[in-house]
Amino acid sequence: MRNKKVLIGVTGGIAAYKICNLVRLFVKAGAEVKVIMTPAATRIVSPLTLSVLSKNEVIINMFPNGDNWEAAEKVEHSTWHINLGAWADVFIIAPATANSIAKIEAGICDNFLLSTVLAARCPVILSPTMDVDMYRNKITQRNISSLKSKGFIIINPVEGELASGLYGEGKMPEPEELFDFTKNFLLKKKDLKGKKILITAGPTRENIDPVRFISNYSSGKMGYAIAEEANSRGADVILISGPVNIKASDGIHLIKVNTALEMFEAVKSNMKSIDLAVMSAAVSDYRPKIKLKNKLKKEASIINLELEKNPDILEYLGKSKQGYFLIGFALETNNEEEYAGEKLIRKNADMIVLNNPNTEGAGFNTETNVVTLITKEKIERYGIMHKAEVAKIIIEKYLEMKNKKR
Ligand code: C5P
């Protein structure tokens, strides 16, 4: 992390004592580190310790030597919050208490740390850390959501034993995790800047009657992971998603749909000037031919449900391909590679990501996946990986192929 300037803000949560370690990790990695503390934080961890570890003066007050203006050696000292806000490449506030979060959200700057937040030109990362009830409180949640929507980056607290003795969410992740997150954020390549990417994710629901539907077990995790990866690398991402329980980052343009026909319409309206389409949704192949207006009564012992075929969105994009790169998914349980290879040709895709739901750690509703990337040139088999890692190799493969084509 040489040449990287990291500003660490420490507010008055018990976890402040762990920040000594965070400072050490950044310094060890070669970053230049400066620390700002709120007055409350100095009751928990000594500014002297953080000063020695960061090799820089720790700033707490707006004015040097308390309120003694006579002692101000330099006029600039009173504008340090502006200077520091412009100096840093990243500003991480950990722990970020409910109080400081609320003040940041309101634009209050009654201490040096808060003033620096308002003056910051760099990304600001917050690690909300507090008691479980304070964290779950609607006011805190509203403040966190509001800050997220304004571009603040939130590291979600983890579940565990809290200083209060209670158990739950609100614990600050360990310094190693805060360090990794910040490092990845800082060093992340923005190699998809200017690219428009269309992604489908999740299942579709095909209505039988007002209360019943046909669907599948897709969780949407794979598609959302690709959307997050592309978004963090600077792409303009449109995510068309069936019903799932995942939140997408604010930078992603999310379009929620239910049925395959709605997904198809949303794809058609958003495919203009895209660079890449990734069809990871588990689209229902069929829908009930007749959608009943009223709930189906359980009278007959056997009922017949007539189904009709849904449009194949991937195939449609393959047929209308104009300058974009097309990635499809294949979920096969037998003769996997053969079927997936055939799908690549039939749907005119540039790559098929094959996964077999019967393989341990692969398929629907898991955090991990086991994939094989199939292109016209080669077949690449990977071992078990977290879906975020799979997303990364898919994006990297796309970039590799696109660069070769040039
Ligand atoms: O032909 P099959 O359904 O196995 O192909 C799977 C791939 O096709 C996935 O990429 C899926 O998102 C896409 N697909 C689609 N529309 C459908 C069915 C599948 O886009 N109606």
Side-chain angles (χ1 to χ4, degrees):
M1 292 186 75
R2 284 204 191 282
N3 304 323
K4 293 286 175 217
K5 298 184 183 83
V6 179
L7 185 59
I8 303 181
V10 189
T11 72
I14 295 299
Y17 78 93
K18 293 188 176 179
I19 298 307
C20 300
N21 226 350
L22 182 64
V23 173
R24 284 194 63 221
L25 288 166
F26 280 118
V27 170
K28 240 173 114 182
E32 196 181 337
V33 182
K34 289 187 182 177
V35 179
I36 310 176
M37 301 173 82
T38 59
T42 64
R43 313 278 293 262
I44 296 159
V45 61
S46 150
L48 182 65
T49 314
L50 291 174
S51 171
V52 171
L53 292 173
S54 66
K55 304 183 172 64
N56 272 309
E57 184 187 350
V58 170
I59 307 177
I60 303 144
N61 297 307
M62 282 300 279
F63 310 113
N65 300 328
D67 283 334
N68 183 1
W69 274 100
E70 312 291 327
E73 300 135 46
K74 291 183 192 156
V75 178
E76 301 96 79
H77 198 124
S78 62
T79 57
W80 269 7
H81 56 292
I82 312 284
N83 297 348
L84 272 181
W87 167 84
D89 293 314
V90 68
F91 185 9
I92 171 166
I93 304 178
T97 58
N99 178 50
S100 287
I101 288 171
K103 284 183 174 182
I104 294 170
E105 202 283 330
I108 294 172
C109 38
D110 62 356
N111 63 40
F112 190 90
L113 187 147
L114 296 172
S115 307
T116 311
V117 174
L118 271 194
R121 287 193 196 155
C122 62
V124 182
I125 302 176
L126 299 172
S127 173
T129 307
M130 62 203 74
D131 190 58
V132 56
D133 297 308
M134 291 172 84
Y135 179 66
R136 287 196 190 145
N137 191 296
K138 283 191 181 135
I139 300 172
T140 307
Q141 287 304 318
R142 180 204 60 197
N143 290 339
I144 292 175
S145 303
S146 161
L147 287 172
K148 247 191 195 175
S149 70
K150 292 177 180 73
F152 284 79
I153 297 137
I154 308 291
I155 303 181
N156 290 331
V158 291
E159 208 178 288
E161 216 161 284
L162 303 161
S164 60
L166 293 175
Y167 185 92
E169 295 159 287
K171 203 174 146 72
M172 189 180 81
E174 291 305 317
E176 287 75 11
E177 284 172 55
L178 297 180
F179 170 75
D180 284 344
F181 183 96
T182 313
K183 187 176 133 199
N184 288 340
F185 177 82
L186 263 181
L187 305 183
K188 192 115 207 172
K189 292 177 253 163
K190 298 283 178 200
D191 46 9
L192 292 178
K193 212 170 171 63
K195 296 267 174 279
K196 189 171 164 188
I197 302 183
L198 180 69
I199 300 167
T200 62
T204 63
R205 283 182 182 172
E206 309 301 326
N207 300 320
I208 299 170
D209 68 14
V211 292
R212 302 183 179 95
F213 54 80
I214 300 174
S215 192
N216 56 63
Y217 288 113
S218 168
S219 63
K221 283 177 186 156
M222 194 60 248
Y224 275 65
I226 298 169
E228 293 294 343
E229 177 68 17
N231 179 48
S232 70
R233 291 168 90 138
D236 176 8
V237 181
I238 302 164
L239 175 62
I240 300 171
S241 169
V244 296
N245 279 320
I246 322 175
K247 269 186 102 174
S249 286
D250 297 315
I252 295 171
H253 177 44
L254 178 68
I255 300 171
K256 291 183 181 171
V257 296
N258 269 309
T259 66
L261 286 177
E262 286 168 12
M263 186 172 272
F264 188 38
E265 286 310 311
V267 166
K268 283 196 288 188
S269 329
N270 287 282
M271 58 186 281
K272 202 171 155 232
S273 60
I274 52 168
D275 297 281
L276 167 67
V278 185
M279 299 292 102
S280 67
V283 186
S284 300
D285 291 323
Y286 292 92
R287 63 177 182 272
K289 193 162 181 196
I290 300 165
K291 199 183 101 191
L292 299 170
K293 279 209 174 68
N294 298 316
K295 192 179 158 198
L296 185 66
K297 289 270 175 238
K298 58 164 189 257
E299 280 154 3
S301 55
I302 293 176
I303 55 163
N304 289 314
L305 200 57
E306 208 178 348
L307 303 175
E308 64 185 339
K309 214 165 186 186
N310 268 327
D312 190 318
I313 307 170
L314 177 63
E315 201 171 284
Y316 174 84
L317 284 176
K319 278 194 184 129
S320 358
K321 198 151 52 162
Q322 266 179 355
Y324 51 82
F325 196 90
L326 184 60
I327 302 179
F329 273 70
L331 196 86
E332 305 288 352
T333 49
N334 59 310
N335 291 339
E336 301 97 303
E337 289 184 6
E338 195 186 318
Y339 285 141
E342 180 260 321
K343 201 168 287 180
L344 179 82
I345 308 296
R346 180 166 45 85
K347 301 204 186 193
N348 193 26
D350 298 286
M351 181 162 88
I352 291 285
V353 182
L354 165 70
N355 49 82
N356 181 336
N358 297 332
T359 310
E360 176 91 12
F364 285 162
N365 241 327
T366 56
E367 294 303 325
T368 54
N369 211 350
V370 181
V371 300
T372 302
L373 302 189
I374 301 181
T375 60
K376 279 173 202 130
E377 288 78 37
K378 53 184 167 183
I379 296 180
E380 287 168 276
R381 301 174 186 91
Y382 293 86
I384 184 165
M385 272 189 271
H386 197 278
K387 283 183 174 164
E389 281 300 307
V390 177
K392 205 164 149 188
I393 61 156
I394 292 172
I395 293 292
E396 256 147 36
K397 188 78 197 162
Y398 155 67
L399 286 168
E400 182 194 311
M401 293 184 72
K402 188 182 66 70
N403 291 339
K404 249 193 215 159
K405 259 191 177 170
R406 266 203 205 139

